[in-house]
Amino acid sequence: MFIIGELINGMYKDIAKAIQAKDKSVIQRRALEQIEAGADALDVNCGPASKDPVNDIQWLINSIQEVTAKPIAVDSGRPQVIEAGLKVLKNKAIINSATADEEKLEPLIALAIKYNARLIGLTISKKGIPQNKDQRLELAALIIASAQGKGLPVEDLYLDPIVMPVNVAQPQMKDILESLREFKIISDPAPKTVVGLSNVSQGTCQRSLVNRTFLIMAVACGLDAAILDPLDKELVDSAITSDLILNKHIYCDSFLDAYRKK
């Protein structure tokens, strides 16, 4: 399981204040906390309150790169902000994220190729969120075809089935899980899969439990990566143990600590 820490996001009040004050100590502490907890990469988003996202994304990335060389997912709905982040990254990046609309997908595929970055493709279009597995598969196939046609290796592509909150879209949960499994047979080589995990528990009163249970089920369906809160120890422990049971790690009595120190 490739864990992408979600906590450096301007939607959080402490991160928004740090961006405004240019207090890199807050950003660096949050980066190191997530890595120590088991994050393999860090998602970085200026948030909607940023008045200068092009410069803010570069400041955030440079601040993080002073204390870690972990991969960074540049998260923005604006291609110019994403490219600004890619310009200052020292290691291979992840672009988060492109939709299946051609006018939005193609520029980000071009950036992924130009900067040798991985790309998250969301199975969503201007028509809205898919309502069933077939619609998700159709959009996934479109994203893969576009990536292959432009020369982006499928190995650098992550597909996101768009996880919905269980309290408002409970009938879709099974389709979302089945989509993860079926994305793998659309092409050879197969694309990787990713989810924004926290969405599944949005608005519920047992968020950690819902996140943890969905994650384990998704891993069993072939999930490769998740954007999540790595400071939720039980959640990360569940992800590590799921991989162990699927024979992706060698068992030892201290397998949890061994994973975090890898």
Side-chain angles (χ1 to χ4, degrees):
M1 166 65 61
F2 189 72
I3 296 172
I4 305 172
E6 69 181 11
L7 299 179
I8 301 178
N9 189 312
M11 290 191 299
Y12 295 106
K13 292 181 180 179
D14 59 338
I15 301 300
K17 289 180 180 178
I19 293 172
Q20 185 177 9
K22 294 296 180 286
D23 183 355
K24 67 173 65 176
S25 65
V26 173
I27 305 303
Q28 292 172 343
R29 182 168 62 251
R30 186 57 51 84
L32 294 175
E33 286 173 347
Q34 293 184 90
I35 292 165
E36 184 178 351
D40 301 296
L42 301 171
D43 190 74
V44 177
N45 188 319
C46 298
S50 173
K51 296 179 180 179
D52 187 6
V54 168
N55 286 320
D56 286 345
I57 197 75
Q58 292 187 333
W59 176 81
L60 282 169
I61 290 171
N62 284 327
S63 297
I64 294 166
Q65 289 183 143
E66 289 180 6
V67 296
T68 180
K70 288 285 187 180
I72 290 175
V74 186
D75 187 355
S76 175
R78 304 179 187 179
Q80 64 269 32
V81 176
I82 289 176
E83 183 161 23
L86 295 173
K87 285 179 179 178
V88 298
L89 273 166
K90 298 176 182 178
N91 298 305
K92 189 162 185 175
I94 304 165
I95 295 174
N96 185 18
S97 54
T99 67
D101 297 311
E102 184 176 344
E103 65 273 16
K104 295 183 178 180
L105 178 60
E106 289 191 359
L108 294 184
I109 290 175
L111 287 179
I113 294 170
K114 179 179 178 179
Y115 291 94
N116 190 30
R118 286 170 280 182
L119 176 66
I120 294 175
L122 307 178
T123 54
I124 188 173
S125 71
K126 55 191 171 186
K127 294 180 181 179
I129 297 171
Q131 297 301 304
N132 56 54
K133 180 183 65 176
D134 290 341
Q135 291 176 3
R136 286 180 166 84
L137 290 172
E138 180 181 351
L139 294 174
L142 187 155
I143 293 169
I144 291 172
S146 185
Q148 289 179 320
K150 301 293 186 300
L152 179 68
V154 175
E155 299 94 321
D156 285 338
L157 180 64
Y158 286 85
L159 292 177
D160 184 336
I162 306 297
V163 173
M164 299 292 291
V166 67
N167 62 338
V168 297
Q170 188 172 351
Q172 289 201 40
M173 295 299 109
K174 185 178 178 181
D175 271 6
I176 292 168
L177 291 168
E178 290 179 352
S179 295
L180 289 169
R181 195 187 304 277
E182 296 196 22
F183 284 173
K184 294 291 188 178
I185 61 175
I186 295 177
S187 68
D188 185 16
K192 296 181 177 66
T193 53
V194 64
V195 296
L197 183 66
S198 297
N199 291 341
V200 74
S201 65
Q202 190 71 40
T204 68
C205 61
Q206 296 284 348
R207 295 204 65 181
S208 182
L209 176 60
V210 173
N211 289 341
R212 187 163 68 248
T213 304
F214 183 87
L215 180 65
I216 293 169
M217 296 177 73
V219 170
C221 291
L223 182 69
D224 297 298
I227 303 169
L228 53 77
D229 177 2
L231 302 189
D232 183 339
K233 186 176 184 298
E234 288 188 339
L235 176 63
V236 175
D237 285 352
S238 297
I240 297 170
T241 306
S242 297
D243 278 351
L244 178 77
I245 291 171
L246 290 174
N247 199 32
K248 296 180 181 180
H249 304 308
I250 297 173
Y251 176 82
C252 66
D253 288 346
S254 57
F255 68 89
L256 292 172
D257 289 335
Y259 177 89
R260 286 184 168 89
K261 295 176 181 177
K262 75 182 187 303

